[in-house]
Structures are given as structure tokens and as C-alpha cells.
Amino acid sequence: MNVKYMFSLIAVIVLFLLAYVGVEAAGLQILFGIVIPYVALLVFVIGFINRVIGWARSPVPFRIPSTCGQQKSLPWIKSEELDNPHTTMGVIARMFLEIVFFRSLFRNTKATLSDGPKISFNLEKWLWLGALAFHWSFLTVIVRHLRFFAEPVPFWVQLLEKVDGFFQIGVPGIFISGIVLLAAVFYLFLRRVIIPQVNYISLSQDFFPLFLIFGIAFSGILMRHFAKVDVTGAKELAMGLVSFHPIIPPGIGVIFYVHIFFVSVLLAYFPFSKLMHLGGIFMSPTRNLPGNTRAVRHINPWNYPVHTHTYEEYEEEFRGKMIEAGLPVEKE
Amino acid sequence: MSEEKKIYDKGKVLTGLILFVVILAFPFLYNSGKAAPAPDRILTEKAKAAKECIEPKAFMKSEHMQILNDWRGSVVRDGKRIYVSSSDKEFDMSLSNTCLDCHSNKADFCDKCHNYASVNPYCWDCHIDKPKENK
């Protein structure tokens, strides 16, 4: 038993009970369906901007791009354009590949010690694969949800639904993204539990978002396939929120409120957590600075005027005494 | 210190943040304050006269697709065509002959909610042109 993940698991269970009891027993539909989502969205937007501005105010003392290849120097030395870009276009290309394909995770290696003692570094692609599966399926799920937040539903949302529901299994048909998301979250949780080194550095704030997202995906799939809720009612509520005419249609199942409460908690928690890597990836100097230290001088932004005393000034001050003492001077 | 308050790369950071807010605001801008209440389905005279569907309304609302899916399996794979409802009435398991018999107005009944919730069931790939269907 691990205290860190039990703490997070219990937190998510308590959140579930809060929403379940709040709606089912106390009838707080307005609180969970209207007030909390609005507050959560406000906290998310303001908190997010605040964090990013905070980072933008932090000066970067050196040019510190991570250099994964030869920097541009002399014309006859081949430089690595993507791994050590020296132009803005190169940086944009690197950022794009980083954000879309997680190239730095692809470099992940696993060190093992064998007899000898001999250390060997092996490729370890599971984290990269799991992260890709997780982020892309999550994005797909979010875009798909626009069908609840837009009337008429844009054609590209319907197109995505069609591709996502390609297998046409069951009615309502299963979405590939939902299953991949659930599986990927579960994998990302398992690796934090099973791999000893990763387990050692995992804290409750690493587990909490995993459990929360698992809860979101699970309650969503539950609503679609098992404990069905009134979909038109759900859309009415969502449309009420985005058109600022909030209403609570009667008779939407309680799981819907659990789902929307989980999402609200995720949004409100976002700016204060590691999830801020969504904004942080754009702000990280190791990624977004060009590796052009050989060509451009980078001046530390917090440099302040330092009181200097050059040798010329020193000699000027003590010349008489230096000559008296027989010390050599540059100017007589 | 006033220097600490300076925002570095102000233009780029603010552009990024504005983009972030605009993307988030998409549903708000797209609907621009128009409320979109759930559509009213129109019942045919025949459906009104029958008063109740094969099961209670709330159940039909959320489970009709499940029933149709079960029916398909039952008819196509097991050859069983009789559905016994919770109120012990018997129905022929048929979308075209049972459901669409009363609900013959697909455009005003089925499509209303399906379009609203962006649901495109492939039932209509085959069942749309049945002779029972009239608009």
C-alpha cells in the first residue's frame, strides 16, 4: 500500500461522493451544473494566464537551449538544424515536433547495470507511446465534446466522430479515443506503481490527475454505454452554459453531474498543478531559444551596473607610491 | 524592484495567451449568446392515440437505441421476433413495422434529437426508404 496514491484515490472518491450525494440527496443541481462549472472555468483561465505571465516575468540568465546536436559554427562543419536550431524557423520546427510528437520523450533511455560492472543504456519507448496515446486521445475526446457546446454542430466535429466511431460496435457506437484514453491513463498509473524508481519519485500530486482523468473517462463511458443519461438534456445544459442562459433540464442522470463536477475540478486544479506543462512547454527556455551562442551575444537581463576599477585607474591612483616602492608601472 | 515586473518577449507571450483565450472561447463565440433549447419532437396522431410507447417514455428516451440493437441481434441471429414489454404486451421486433408505424414522421421525430445531439445512427442506411415511411 502506498500512501501517496491512496491519498489521491481517496480524494477522487470523496469528490465523486460529493457530487453524487449533492445531486441525488440534496438536489443541488444548480450548484453542480451551473455555479461550479462557471467558477472552475474562470479559475482555469485567470489562473492559467497568471502562471504564464509569471513565467514571462522571469529573466533567463543565459541562452540555455538543450543541445542535442552540433551547433551552427563554421560553414564546413555540419550542424543539426532540428536538434540545435540557430534560426527562428528552426526553433518553430523543433517546438512543433516537441509539442505534437514529444520528441524529447522519444529519447528516453533506461540504464541497467549488469555484471562487470557494466552499464548499458537501452531504448525505452513505452512512456513515449503511452504519452502519445494519452494526449492525442484526450484531445480527440475534448474536440468531440464540442457537439454538446455548439449548435449547429460543426462539420469537422461530426467528421471526427465518424472517424473515431469507425468500428461501429454497438449502439451507441464505441469511440476508439475513449477506450485508448482509459487504457493510457491506466498504463501511466501502473508505471508509477510498478517501476521502483518512478514510484520513488511519484507524489500524490502525480497520482491525483491520473485518477481524476480516469474518473472523467470512466463516468463518460458509463453514461454513453451503461447507465445512460438523457443526451438532449445534457446538451441543453451545456448550451445553456455557453450561451449564458443557464438552465437545468429535469431528469438528467446523476452520473452526468459527477462527470461535469470531475471536469470542473480538473479545470480549477489545472493552473496550480503540474498540468500547467500545457503552457509551460511553450515557455521553456531549453526548447524555445535558438542555439546561436556562437553568433549572438546574450546579455543577462538582470545585469546591473557593476562598479569597476580597471588597472589603468588603479595605476593612476597609486602611481606615485608604486614608483617609490620600485614597482614596475606601465606609464611613467 | 521595477525591473522584475518586466514581461520578457511581451509580444510573443501575449499573442500566445490571446490565442489560448480565443480557442477556449470558441463555444461561447460560436453560439454568441443564443440559447439552443432541446427541440420539440412532434408526435403523429397515431402515436398520440397510443398514449404510451412499448416502454415508459423516460426509458425509451435513453434506451431506445439499446432496444433496437438487442432486437437486431435477436431477429437476425436467433430468429426470435416477439418482444415482451415490461407491461407484458407483445410487439413485433421491427424498426420499420413497429417503431416507424406510429412514429412515421422521421424528420420531425427521430431527426430532431439526433441532429441536436449530432447522432448519426446507421439504422437509416437501410431503413430509411421503407414503404411505411412517409413524411
Side-chain angles (χ1 to χ4, degrees):
Chain A
M1 202 63 74
N2 182 317
V3 178
K4 287 162 192 158
Y5 71 71
M6 281 315 287
F7 180 78
S8 303
L9 182 60
I10 290 168
V12 173
I13 292 172
V14 168
L15 289 174
F16 162 75
L17 288 175
L18 264 181
Y20 192 88
V21 173
V23 169
E24 195 77 338
L28 296 170
Q29 272 89 345
I30 292 179
L31 179 67
F32 285 99
I34 295 172
V35 179
I36 291 177
Y38 272 139
V39 172
L41 188 65
L42 270 182
V43 171
F44 174 64
V45 175
I46 295 169
F48 194 102
I49 291 173
N50 198 32
R51 270 315 272 283
V52 170
I53 296 284
W55 284 326
R57 285 194 174 136
S58 313
V60 179
F62 323 112
R63 205 127 273 242
I64 47 170
S66 50
T67 54
C68 303
Q70 174 63 48
Q71 190 182 98
K72 169 84 179 162
S73 54
L74 295 166
W76 44 271
I77 298 176
K78 207 178 157 200
S79 72
E80 201 65 69
E81 284 301 317
L82 220 48
D83 287 316
N84 200 341
H86 66 281
T87 56
T88 309
M89 266 325 283
V91 169
I92 290 172
R94 166 158 87 168
M95 285 295 273
F96 177 80
L97 291 173
E98 180 65 34
I99 288 159
V100 173
F101 298 118
F102 314 156
R103 275 181 97 232
S104 47
L105 272 189
F106 193 73
R107 274 188 250 278
N108 188 28
T109 52
K110 194 175 93 184
T112 45
L113 202 61
S114 52
D115 295 337
K118 225 172 171 180
I119 193 161
S120 55
F121 297 92
N122 306 306
L123 296 178
E124 213 282 304
K125 301 289 180 221
W126 293 110
L127 175 61
W128 172 75
L129 260 180
L132 264 189
F134 171 78
H135 285 88
W136 277 105
S137 58
F138 206 176
L139 179 67
T140 311
V141 169
I142 290 169
V143 174
R144 261 206 288 107
H145 272 72
L146 280 177
R147 80 177 167 120
F148 293 111
F149 293 96
E151 179 61 30
V153 181
F155 76 94
W156 43 272
V157 175
Q158 295 187 339
L159 190 73
L160 184 68
E161 273 182 341
K162 215 165 210 167
V163 175
D164 204 359
F166 175 77
F167 287 123
Q168 297 196 332
I169 299 170
V171 182
I174 57 161
F175 283 129
I176 306 162
S177 58
I179 292 168
V180 173
L181 176 62
L182 211 56
V185 170
F186 191 60
Y187 164 71
L188 293 176
F189 163 70
L190 275 188
R191 75 176 265 284
R192 285 195 182 275
V193 175
I194 290 173
I195 304 172
Q197 296 91 328
V198 181
N199 183 270
Y200 184 76
I201 58 165
S202 294
L203 303 172
S204 46
Q205 57 264 45
D206 295 314
F207 288 112
F208 179 70
L210 289 177
F211 285 127
L212 195 61
I213 291 166
F214 190 89
I216 290 170
F218 191 76
S219 57
I221 290 175
L222 205 63
M223 270 195 291
R224 183 173 172 85
H225 298 289
F226 303 102
K228 296 204 173 64
V229 298
D230 176 9
V231 180
T232 44
K235 175 147 186 179
E236 235 183 322
L237 193 150
M239 288 303 297
L241 287 177
V242 293
S243 61
F244 300 111
H245 295 95
I247 42 157
I248 298 288
I252 317 177
V254 62
I255 303 178
F256 172 76
Y257 291 97
V258 171
H259 187 70
I260 210 169
F261 182 57
F262 275 167
V263 175
S264 304
V265 171
L266 186 73
L267 283 178
Y269 172 72
F270 203 100
F272 311 101
S273 68
K274 62 183 257 181
L275 302 176
M276 269 310 290
H277 68 266
L278 169 59
I281 184 82
F282 294 96
M283 306 294 288
S284 38
T286 55
R287 310 268 95 213
N288 67 16
L289 288 176
N292 58 1
T293 41
R294 284 183 168 101
V296 179
R297 184 171 177 216
H298 184 82
I299 294 166
N300 182 355
W302 71 56
N303 274 355
Y304 55 94
V306 180
H307 180 73
T308 53
H309 197 222
T310 59
Y311 180 75
E312 283 80 10
E313 285 163 0
Y314 175 87
E315 204 185 281
E316 208 61 52
E317 195 177 336
F318 297 108
R319 185 168 292 118
K321 285 176 180 157
M322 287 168 81
I323 293 169
E324 250 176 63
L327 288 172
V329 287
E330 284 183 356
K331 270 196 263 174
E332 287 302 330
Chain B
M1 283 212 295
S2 64
E3 239 180 300
E4 223 176 37
K5 294 230 162 73
K6 184 192 171 199
I7 298 176
Y8 294 91
D9 291 319
K10 205 171 193 172
K12 285 178 198 159
V13 172
L14 291 189
T15 309
L17 284 176
I18 288 168
L19 207 63
F20 166 74
V21 171
V22 168
I23 290 173
L24 270 187
F26 169 75
F28 295 93
L29 300 173
Y30 185 79
N31 301 298
S32 59
K34 290 193 301 283
D40 284 323
R41 282 141 295 162
I42 297 168
L43 286 176
T44 57
E45 291 305 319
K46 199 169 180 183
K48 274 184 197 156
K51 286 212 165 60
E52 200 181 68
C53 200
I54 59 169
E55 299 285 351
K57 188 181 168 191
F59 184 80
M60 290 310 293
K61 210 171 172 184
S62 56
E63 298 286 340
H64 64 279
M65 63 301 260
Q66 191 66 49
I67 291 177
L68 286 170
N69 201 36
D70 292 345
W71 281 13
R72 181 184 58 178
S74 169
V75 170
V76 175
R77 299 191 184 135
D78 305 331
K80 290 182 188 149
R81 304 202 68 109
I82 303 299
Y83 175 75
V84 182
S85 73
S86 57
S87 54
D88 269 339
K89 282 188 205 145
E90 290 190 355
F91 294 95
D92 185 23
M93 290 186 186
S94 168
L95 171 61
S96 299
N97 299 326
T98 305
C99 305
L100 295 180
D101 188 35
C102 287
H103 303 294
S104 52
N105 51 341
K106 174 175 173 287
D108 285 331
F109 187 76
C110 311
D111 292 350
K112 277 276 169 74
C113 288
H114 285 171
N115 290 343
Y116 184 62
S118 172
V119 177
N120 299 300
Y122 53 81
C123 311
W124 313 119
D125 289 0
C126 302
H127 288 277
I128 194 164
D129 288 330
K130 294 298 287 183
K132 292 265 181 193
E133 165 85 358
N134 54 46
K135 285 205 172 161

